[in-house]
Each structure stands twice: as C-alpha cells, then as structure tokens.
Amino acid sequence: MTSPGFQAHDHARCVSDGMEAALSYCEKNGLKFTPVRQRVFEILLSEHKAMGAYDILEILAKEGMGSQPPVVYRALDFLGTHGFVHKIEKLNAFVACDHPGSDHDPAFMICRSCTKVVEMDGSPSSEISSAAQDLGFEVEAVVVEAEGLCPTCQDPS
Amino acid sequence: MTSPGFQAHDHARCVSDGMEAALSYCEKNGLKFTPVRQRVFEILLSEHKAMGAYDILEILAKEGMGSQPPVVYRALDFLGTHGFVHKIEKLNAFVACDHPGSDHDPAFMICRSCTKVVEMDGSPSSEISSAAQDLGFEVEAVVVEAEGLCPTCQDPS
DNA sequence: ATCTAAATTGTTATAGTATATCAAGCCTTA
DNA sequence: TAAGGCTTGATATACTATAACAATTTAGAT
C-alpha cells in the first residue's frame, strides 16, 4: 500500500482498508477490538488529519459512547500500543496509521494550514543513529515531525 | 564549541559561556535581556536536562521573581524565539541551547532514565527533505527527538 | 453451567500544561 | 514631556492527561 501523500484519492478505501487491516490484526492476535476502540479508530481514519483527544471525545459523547476523558485516552492508548494510531507530539493530537502492528518509528509531514498529516515510510535518518552511536547513546524511539505547507496550501489559487 | 555529549565536563563553563553568548547576542541585536529572562535562561543552563515550565516557575517564585505562569511562558517564548532555548515536544519541557540566534532545526537525544538531553548538530535528515520534495511539501521546521538510554544509564555499574 | 480471574468500561476527581485578557509600569525617542 | 511600544503583573480560564476505584463484561477453568 502506497501512501497517497497530499493528493486527492479514493478516501473511502483508506477507511475500509484501514478498518479491515485492524480487524484482522486483532483477530489474529486475540485483541479485543471493542466498539469504542473501533469507533475512535474510525473517527481518526475518516480524515488524514490529527485530532485532539477532546475533539474525538466530543464525537463519542454525541453518539452516547462515553463522555469522560479516560474513555478516549484508554482507546487511544490501546490503538497506539498496537500501532493503529500515532501521536503527533508537536500538536498533542493523534492520527490513524494503516500499518497495524508494525513497530515502526514513524515520521510525519504536517501542513500547518490545512492540518493534514502524511506519514512517511522508512526509518528516519541514519544520521541520527550514527550521531547516537558516536556518543554511545542507545536509541529506543524517535520522533520526527516536519511542519510546513502541503502543495495545495502553497498555492493561493 | 563542541558539545560534551553525555560525558563529564566543566559545567561551570557551559553556564558562563552560554550566558555570555546570549548577553552579547542581545546587545548586538537590541534585545532586552531582562532579569526574568536571564534568570530563566540561567536555570535552564544549570543542567543539561529538560525542565517543565512549572518547575522553572517554582524556582522563580521562591526568588520573588513572579509567581504566575505567564511570567515563565513569556520568558520561554522570548528565549525560544531567539534560539536560546528549545522545547522538547515529547516531554513538554525546555532545554537551554548554546548557539544563540542561529536558526537551526535542532535534534535531540533524551535519556529516559536520567533525563539528560544532548543536542545534536547538523541539520537532521536529508531523507526527510527528499521525501518532502517528492510530495511537494515545503518544510519549515522539523522536530527530531530520539529517546533512549545514555551511556551511563546503560551501565548498571 | 457456574465460578473465577482478568480485562474493559463507567465515573469522579484532580494533576499538569498553556494562553487570553486587561491593567499597570518602564523605557525610548521624538 | 508626551506618545508609543514593549514588558510585567494579575486574574481567569482553556486545554491536555491521568489517578483511583467501582461496576460490568468476557473468557477460560472446573
């Protein structure tokens, strides 16, 4: 599966494929993909944008699926642990991922205008690992977040 | 000035050199390096660790330099704008930098055990720029934060 | 079938991080 | 010295996240 980047694409596929991948991953691994967890993932899948936990909670609340912060944070914790969503540290917000379970260190491009987020593939930066090695530092996790303007938002067309 | 990395070093020099560099930069550029700003910078220089805004505020308060959040956040904003400190997004915390004014995109190694932070030099990751170019994304700022264990903390000596 | 243990959810409360707003003070310079 | 701009003081509030414990559901063992 290749990322559509910032281009227009058949987004319904993103949602259904992502959901299916997660479902089958959970089944294979004996994980409980409960209604709240599914719904939170679906909400995040519905756009390639980062959403705050409280934005998600608001939607859940309207649908009667729980109205207190722990509900959404617990779902996000589950989804994050199993690689279905990632946190964007720069924004204190969350995005869906479509590589369930893979233990990758993601790297992101974040448009500061339309807030769309694209996940880049490939382990970020051998430069980091070599700098770390020089200092004897043992890297366990890496946050890489590039903020800027997506093609559409560069164009005032 | 080469970074001492995670090694022992004459830390008094870090503080005095950092302070001096900031003072002269402010003088050159007509910036007001007021007492609160200086003190906040000094507090952050005093250890190569990230500190939360409220930790800093607590120290300021004890010294009678202002006891409300805006005091410290405004100082941090000033220091950040002019490149004296950086925010560690992963920790919601701040570290001193010793390259005043340089408009660099810093990259960090953060020890999760002792919380020491080392800033790496060199623009992080040409891999990011090339991936961005492929998608037509215009990068304005990059966050790179590697979390792990420093040499000392790997050793249970 | 039923009991038990573990995981999940509900709920309340609170901790931690950050900013908006407006009033007051201070420098600078014209 | 008056005017304007930057800096600080102070109050209030918004936003993000977790602790703690009770209630419920689920899955497995007997």
Side-chain angles (χ1 to χ4, degrees):
Chain A
M1 180 184 299
T2 322
S3 158
F6 289 99
Q7 303 181 357
H9 60 282
D10 179 2
H11 187 62
R13 289 294 307 264
C14 294
V15 178
S16 58
D17 286 359
M19 206 60 189
E20 222 169 294
L23 275 163
S24 89
Y25 179 89
C26 286
E27 200 158 332
K28 272 196 197 91
N29 295 84
L31 301 171
K32 300 182 186 172
F33 203 23
T34 63
V36 192
R37 291 168 177 180
Q38 282 193 39
R39 187 64 188 121
V40 170
F41 185 45
E42 202 173 58
I43 289 167
L44 283 172
L45 272 175
S46 73
E47 279 195 87
H48 296 291
K49 296 189 179 179
M51 294 183 72
Y54 282 76
D55 297 329
I56 298 169
L57 181 58
E58 199 176 327
I59 297 176
L60 288 181
K62 274 183 193 151
E63 300 173 354
M65 296 190 80
S67 55
Q68 299 306 320
V71 172
V72 69
Y73 279 104
R74 284 193 285 230
L76 288 169
D77 184 60
F78 170 88
L79 294 167
T81 297
H82 300 291
F84 301 149
V85 312
H86 299 294
K87 179 171 186 186
I88 307 290
E89 299 290 345
K90 185 74 184 282
L91 304 177
N92 293 318
F94 303 82
V95 287
C97 171
D98 49 17
H99 320 79
S102 60
D103 196 12
H104 54 296
D105 271 327
F108 301 99
M109 286 179 282
I110 307 160
C111 179
R112 69 165 159 78
S113 171
C114 68
T115 76
K116 272 192 193 145
V117 173
V118 166
E119 182 174 347
M120 303 179 239
D121 264 342
S123 67
S125 197
S126 48
E127 293 155 59
I128 293 170
S129 1
S130 83
Q133 203 152 29
D134 288 351
L135 299 183
F137 185 81
E138 188 181 309
V139 175
E140 292 171 343
V142 181
V143 172
V144 177
E145 297 171 358
E147 204 169 26
L149 285 178
C150 75
T152 309
C153 293
Q154 285 166 45
D155 245 321
S157 68
Chain B
M1 182 184 297
T2 321
S3 157
F6 290 100
Q7 305 180 356
H9 60 281
D10 179 2
H11 187 61
R13 288 295 308 262
C14 293
V15 179
S16 58
D17 286 359
M19 208 58 188
E20 222 169 294
L23 275 164
S24 89
Y25 179 89
C26 286
E27 199 157 334
K28 273 197 196 90
N29 294 86
L31 302 171
K32 300 184 184 171
F33 203 22
T34 64
V36 191
R37 291 168 177 179
Q38 283 192 39
R39 186 65 188 120
V40 170
F41 186 46
E42 203 174 59
I43 289 167
L44 283 172
L45 272 175
S46 73
E47 279 195 86
H48 296 291
K49 296 191 179 178
M51 292 184 73
Y54 283 75
D55 297 329
I56 297 168
L57 180 58
E58 199 176 328
I59 297 176
L60 288 182
K62 274 184 193 151
E63 300 173 352
M65 297 190 82
S67 55
Q68 299 307 320
V71 171
V72 68
Y73 279 104
R74 283 193 287 230
L76 288 168
D77 184 60
F78 170 89
L79 295 167
T81 296
H82 300 291
F84 301 149
V85 312
H86 299 294
K87 180 172 185 183
I88 306 291
E89 299 291 345
K90 187 75 183 283
L91 305 178
N92 293 318
F94 303 83
V95 286
C97 170
D98 50 17
H99 320 79
S102 60
D103 196 12
H104 55 296
D105 271 327
F108 300 100
M109 287 179 283
I110 307 160
C111 180
R112 68 165 160 78
S113 171
C114 69
T115 77
K116 271 193 194 147
V117 172
V118 167
E119 182 174 347
M120 303 180 238
D121 264 340
S123 67
S125 197
S126 47
E127 292 155 62
I128 293 171
S129 2
S130 83
Q133 204 152 28
D134 289 349
L135 299 182
F137 185 82
E138 189 181 309
V139 175
E140 292 172 344
V142 181
V143 172
V144 176
E145 296 171 0
E147 205 169 26
L149 285 179
C150 76
T152 309
C153 294
Q154 285 166 44
D155 245 320
S157 69

